[in-house]
Amino acid sequence: MNYHYGNLAETVVKWLVETSNLERILSIDLETKVLKENEFLTGELILCVSLSDFTDGEVCRKVFVLERENLQSEGRLLAAVDDFLLQMRPLVLVGYNLCGYDIPLLNLKLRMHPEHIYWGIKDAIERSFPIDMKHPIRFELAKYSTDGVPKILRLDKVVMHERWAELRLMRTKNLVSQTISEKGRAIYRMWKKDRDKFNKYAEGDANDVLLMFEELFLKPLLTTPAELRR
């Protein structure tokens, strides 16, 4: 049988629907202090963890923001995220470049903060099922391209695509420059100088990726809006 990775993800999501576990799907996104291109996955400071889930049939957003620029504050941030994850116990983690960045960085941070065992974070990144949306999205958007070749696009390009025109995405990427050389510094400046704007920016990715997940994985399984938002 010619099964592929998409079939596996679809099977997991179908099981969540059948067992009424949609509230245990969690979209996650990290914003970090990266001022140079070669600083990714080098232990960079986490500025915030943004989470979105389906609570009581509605999309619920939470942002945990670093208070001070030091490892002690980062430890407190991780502890707050850990408390939330211990209560939620997600079965599926959703993100964009989730497996290439967010999960590896969280694993690295667990080693950098040995003073506490973050069981909620460990369970979420080691035991839940990851769905990295950059892959389902690249195949979906290939249907709209002239050559039909699946390509991985930056998320700021993805959210502006015509495919999602009817979705109520936040599209907060336009709050900062998306050029590779400027993006990291712009995010860091926003965290330091304008926390309200930073919080809005941080909410966007986890929210929008969850809605695109819903569009591609849940809508084909659920027949009415009431079922989607149950």
Side-chain angles (χ1 to χ4, degrees):
M1 294 184 179
N2 188 26
Y3 291 120
H4 52 75
Y5 297 118
N7 294 125
L8 178 59
E10 291 165 2
T11 299
V12 171
V13 174
K14 183 179 180 181
W15 177 83
L16 288 175
V17 172
E18 292 173 347
T19 57
S20 300
N21 272 303
L22 295 185
E23 292 189 353
R24 295 179 71 182
I25 299 169
L26 181 68
S27 178
I28 183 169
D29 180 71
L30 307 183
E31 297 297 341
T32 57
K33 180 185 176 182
V34 176
L35 306 183
K36 299 178 182 178
E37 293 181 38
N38 60 356
E39 290 180 340
F40 289 101
L41 295 180
T42 60
E44 59 269 30
L45 203 65
I46 296 176
L47 299 178
C48 84
V49 178
S50 176
L51 306 172
S52 289
D53 60 47
F54 298 114
T55 300
D56 296 327
E58 299 294 334
V59 175
C60 180
R61 300 186 294 270
K62 299 181 185 297
V63 179
F64 298 89
V65 180
L66 187 74
E67 291 298 325
R68 297 181 180 275
E69 196 173 338
N70 55 54
L71 287 177
Q72 291 76 20
S73 185
E74 184 182 63
R76 291 191 291 271
L77 166 65
L78 292 174
V81 173
D82 190 70
D83 287 342
F84 174 82
L85 294 176
L86 280 171
Q87 296 178 47
M88 181 187 181
R89 302 297 296 274
L91 294 173
V92 166
L93 276 190
V94 177
Y96 198 84
N97 199 26
L98 172 72
C99 297
Y101 187 66
D102 302 275
I103 288 178
L105 183 59
L106 285 171
N107 269 314
L108 177 59
K109 287 299 177 178
L110 294 181
R111 296 197 297 272
M112 294 177 64
H113 291 275
E115 71 280 359
H116 183 70
I117 300 178
Y118 298 98
W119 285 113
I121 296 175
K122 286 181 69 68
D123 280 348
I125 63 179
E126 295 178 5
R127 302 177 68 192
S128 65
F129 187 83
I131 298 181
D132 195 324
M133 287 299 293
K134 71 180 182 182
H135 298 296
I137 287 173
R138 70 185 173 104
F139 287 105
E140 179 68 15
L141 298 190
K143 301 173 185 177
Y144 295 79
S145 66
T146 55
D147 58 13
V149 177
K151 301 181 182 71
I152 295 177
L153 302 176
R154 295 201 320 254
L155 189 55
D156 62 302
K157 302 293 185 183
V158 168
V159 297
M160 299 306 297
H161 195 278
E162 61 177 311
R163 172 62 177 86
W164 322 112
E166 301 302 317
L167 297 187
R168 299 179 63 182
L169 304 183
M170 293 179 67
R171 299 181 175 91
T172 57
K173 287 295 191 181
N174 62 357
L175 293 177
V176 302
S177 169
Q178 292 299 307
T179 62
I180 295 177
S181 60
E182 288 293 328
K183 179 181 175 183
R185 289 191 290 270
I187 291 173
Y188 176 63
R189 286 194 300 269
M190 188 164 54
W191 172 79
K192 285 184 71 73
K193 299 180 181 299
D194 192 339
R195 290 292 175 89
D196 289 339
K197 184 178 179 181
F198 178 82
N199 286 356
K200 181 180 179 181
Y201 177 85
E203 284 184 341
D205 286 2
N207 175 85
D208 292 357
V209 170
L210 185 63
L211 290 179
M212 289 185 284
F213 166 85
E214 180 183 63
E215 176 75 8
L216 295 183
F217 284 91
L218 293 181
K219 282 190 177 180
L221 297 174
L222 304 175
T223 57
T224 68
E227 284 183 303
L228 266 179
R229 295 303 188 187
R230 178 154 42 186

